[in-house]
Amino acid sequence: MEGFLQALKSYQTFNPSGWVGIYRLLPMWAGVVLAAVGMVLLLAGGGRMFRLVAGPVGAVLGLVWTGALTQKLGMMDLDPRLPTFVAAGLMAVGFLFPHAVTFVGVGVPLGLVAGQVAGQNDFLLGFGPGFIVGGIAGALLHRQVSSIVASAVGAWLLVIGALAALHQFGGVVEAVASRPWGVIIAALLFALAGSVYQLAVRPTPEESDQKGAEREKQKLRQAEQRALEKRWGVK
């Protein structure tokens, strides 16, 4: 378990080989489960299921952005456990209010860019409006953002799970994993396909609810019709 946690730290740096190499620590059954979960997220993760994705994504955002923000604000003497606390809080918020994660996930990077444009002395003057405007845009485009994020997460779980599940075919898998950029490009293509499917083909939650309501109304009308025919003896 300790080795797996150490491997996860490679995702905090630019380390493509480490990102892909984590599959070596997963048993075959875990690879099959990850690949199955990844496929589900690719096809339907941007809907109501995004709540399950928003929690872990919120935790990652907390770990990544807390350090960047404190550094930009010059708050270097804070508790080193602060990123962990923020990550735990954002994970809980993500499970309860997925829209909050899209708000933070889009708002913080745009705020950082705006703060960088404003300059170090006026960083807050740039960060504040950028964060608010970006966050509102992310919340308004929640379906689009959630579909893209879910597809990206699903694509990565799919490729890593497939590598772990096929690890017994060592030669082929090792050859593929030795080219991490090829694995990353494959995941990006899967993510693109999943995003297009969810946004252009899959009905929205509102459309699904409407179709469900129409089916229920149709069943009710059919039941009333059968009851009326039975009452009047119509065969």
Side-chain angles (χ1 to χ4, degrees):
M1 185 65 178
E2 184 177 351
F4 182 73
L5 294 177
Q6 285 295 118
L8 284 176
K9 291 184 179 180
S10 65
Y11 286 88
Q12 296 179 353
T13 60
F14 185 76
N15 184 8
S17 296
W19 301 343
V20 175
I22 196 172
Y23 82 90
R24 298 185 179 91
L25 303 176
L26 298 172
M28 185 177 69
W29 66 265
V32 173
V33 172
L34 278 184
V37 172
M39 184 60 70
V40 171
L41 293 180
L42 270 176
L43 299 177
R48 294 184 175 88
M49 195 178 296
F50 183 69
R51 187 181 301 274
L52 302 178
V53 181
V57 169
V60 172
L61 292 177
L63 291 174
V64 173
W65 295 126
T66 301
L69 278 175
T70 54
Q71 184 178 5
K72 286 291 184 181
L73 295 174
M75 297 184 295
M76 307 302 294
D77 297 329
L78 296 175
D79 191 328
R81 297 173 297 177
L82 179 62
T84 303
F85 294 148
V86 174
L90 284 177
M91 176 179 281
V93 170
F95 284 131
L96 296 173
F97 308 104
H99 284 71
V101 170
T102 57
F103 186 98
V104 173
V106 177
V108 170
L110 289 182
L112 288 172
V113 171
Q116 190 69 27
V117 171
Q120 185 61 39
N121 294 333
D122 297 319
F123 178 79
L124 276 177
L125 293 177
F127 175 81
F131 172 71
I132 294 173
V133 172
I136 292 175
L140 292 175
L141 298 173
H142 174 74
R143 178 174 178 262
Q144 289 79 3
V145 173
S146 63
S147 296
I148 294 171
V149 171
S151 295
V153 173
W156 191 247
L157 292 180
L158 176 61
V159 297
I160 294 298
L163 289 174
L166 299 173
H167 192 37
Q168 57 181 324
F169 304 105
V172 176
V173 174
E174 284 294 337
V176 172
S178 65
R179 296 173 175 81
W181 280 109
V183 177
I184 292 171
I185 291 172
L188 289 174
L189 292 175
F190 280 126
L192 177 61
S195 299
V196 171
Y197 171 78
Q198 293 195 56
L199 292 174
V201 179
R202 184 175 174 81
T204 65
E206 292 76 14
E207 290 172 344
S208 298
D209 290 342
Q210 183 178 2
K211 290 181 179 179
E214 290 175 354
R215 285 194 295 268
E216 290 298 323
K217 290 180 180 179
Q218 182 65 24
K219 290 180 181 179
L220 182 60
R221 285 195 293 267
Q222 291 175 351
E224 291 175 346
Q225 182 66 26
R226 287 194 296 268
L228 183 63
E229 292 175 353
K230 182 177 181 181
R231 178 179 178 184
W232 293 100
V234 177
K235 296 184 180 180

